[in-house]
Amino acid sequence: MKRVRIGVVGRMIGVLIVLGIAVFPIYWMFTTALTSDADLFAPEPRWFPDFGQFYVFVDALAEGPTLTWLANSTIVAIGTTVFSIGLGIPLAYALSRFSFKGKVAVGLLLLMTQMLPEALMVVPLFSLYRRFELLDSLAGLILANTAFVLPIVALVLKGAIDGIPKELEEAGRVDGARPLAVLLRINVPIILPSIAAAAVIAFFHAWNEYVFAVTFIFNKSLQPASVGLAGFIGEQGTAIQTIMAVAFMFTLPAVAFYLFAQKYVVSGMTAGAVKG
């Protein structure tokens, strides 16, 4: 019994340590935002926030376009997630269930797209966007992010569909269901955990994306928060408290979304590894 208790205590301590490492950066952003200039540059760091400095958050929301940036980030992240999932499901189903010439090549191409950094695609995409008048547009930013994250979403969903017994689909076809109905009524409900996992990947990619956003968006009212944050860094000085306040507000929605979907992330990532 003592060994069991020691093991439980050891695991709890380990979990607390990992949790502390994960949460500390967020706590430190919050504390730094609520630290005066005198304490910020003092020899000893201030470990606890000074709530008398909370006006920094109020000023960041009132004076700057922080809410507009957060709204733009939300639009881009949700749009990218919806498009990547909507296109990824039929693509994954085709790769998993249908045989066609070049199927292996398509899979390899999807993998190869992840080898290309975003910076390498900026120049050709900028030329295309200028021709089709997609610059300075949230829609264009959504399309770019969707194209970049779609391959990984499709591969995640393909792994999940591979684990579904084909007998379930055959039973649906016997009842007269067409391929689209089989996909939507049989496969999609089963792979919902994997869809949630893929949605988290797409959401975080679009939420944190910077290179496309800073290149394709010129109007400050259309900038996402990832670009807006960089604008606080000035040549003469940098408002550290304001940066940390906006960064804290920028981090919270993503953390909240992940906490809501984390159980689906774990089950979704392992679903494709189990055969029915």
Side-chain angles (χ1 to χ4, degrees):
M1 291 295 295
K2 291 183 178 180
R3 291 182 178 178
V4 173
R5 291 178 180 176
I6 293 174
V8 172
V9 172
R11 286 193 293 271
M12 290 181 63
I13 293 174
V15 170
L16 290 176
I17 292 174
V18 173
L19 182 62
I21 293 173
V23 174
F24 182 76
I26 301 175
Y27 172 77
W28 195 247
M29 282 192 296
F30 182 73
T31 302
T32 304
L34 299 182
T35 301
S36 64
D37 289 334
D39 291 331
L40 187 64
F41 298 101
E44 297 293 330
R46 184 184 182 91
W47 296 101
F48 300 100
D50 180 8
F51 288 97
Q53 301 286 323
F54 198 79
Y55 66 87
V56 173
F57 284 90
V58 178
D59 291 344
L61 291 174
E63 297 178 3
T66 304
L67 290 177
T68 301
W69 293 340
L70 292 174
N72 293 336
S73 293
T74 302
I75 293 172
V76 172
I78 292 178
T80 300
T81 303
V82 171
F83 271 90
S84 60
I85 295 298
L87 296 174
I89 290 176
L91 176 57
Y93 184 71
L95 291 174
S96 177
R97 290 296 191 253
F98 294 104
S99 297
F100 54 88
K101 292 183 179 180
K103 177 179 177 179
V104 176
V106 171
L108 290 175
L109 285 174
L110 290 177
L111 287 174
M112 290 175 63
T113 58
Q114 302 306 300
M115 300 170 60
L116 300 175
E118 289 185 359
L120 189 64
M121 305 298 297
V122 166
V123 174
L125 279 178
F126 187 90
S127 178
L128 286 174
Y129 273 37
R130 183 172 59 180
R131 180 176 181 180
F132 292 103
E133 298 182 355
L134 289 173
L135 292 175
D136 217 15
S137 166
L138 292 181
L141 198 55
I142 291 173
L143 290 176
N145 288 324
T146 299
F148 208 83
V149 78
L150 178 59
I152 193 66
V153 169
L155 292 174
V156 169
L157 298 180
K158 177 186 178 300
I161 296 175
D162 287 341
I164 300 176
K166 293 183 179 180
E167 290 76 10
L168 292 176
E169 298 179 7
E170 293 173 356
R173 294 191 184 95
V174 169
D175 293 336
R178 296 185 177 182
L180 181 59
V182 170
L183 173 61
L184 296 179
R185 297 182 181 180
I186 297 177
N187 290 292
V188 169
I190 295 176
I191 65 170
L192 277 179
S194 293
I195 292 176
V200 169
I201 295 172
F203 183 91
F204 270 75
H205 172 84
W207 184 264
N208 296 317
E209 201 281 323
Y210 176 81
V211 176
F212 290 155
V214 77
T215 305
F216 301 150
I217 302 297
F218 312 123
N219 189 341
K220 289 187 177 181
S221 64
L222 294 176
Q223 289 178 342
S226 59
V227 177
L229 269 171
F232 284 109
I233 301 175
E235 295 182 2
Q236 303 298 326
T238 300
I240 297 178
Q241 291 92 335
T242 303
I243 290 178
M244 289 299 173
V246 177
F248 180 78
M249 290 185 285
F250 176 62
T251 303
L252 281 185
V255 172
F257 180 75
Y258 180 78
L259 291 176
F260 172 76
Q262 58 88 19
K263 61 180 179 180
Y264 299 107
V265 173
V266 176
S267 60
M269 286 300 185
T270 58
V274 180
K275 291 292 183 180

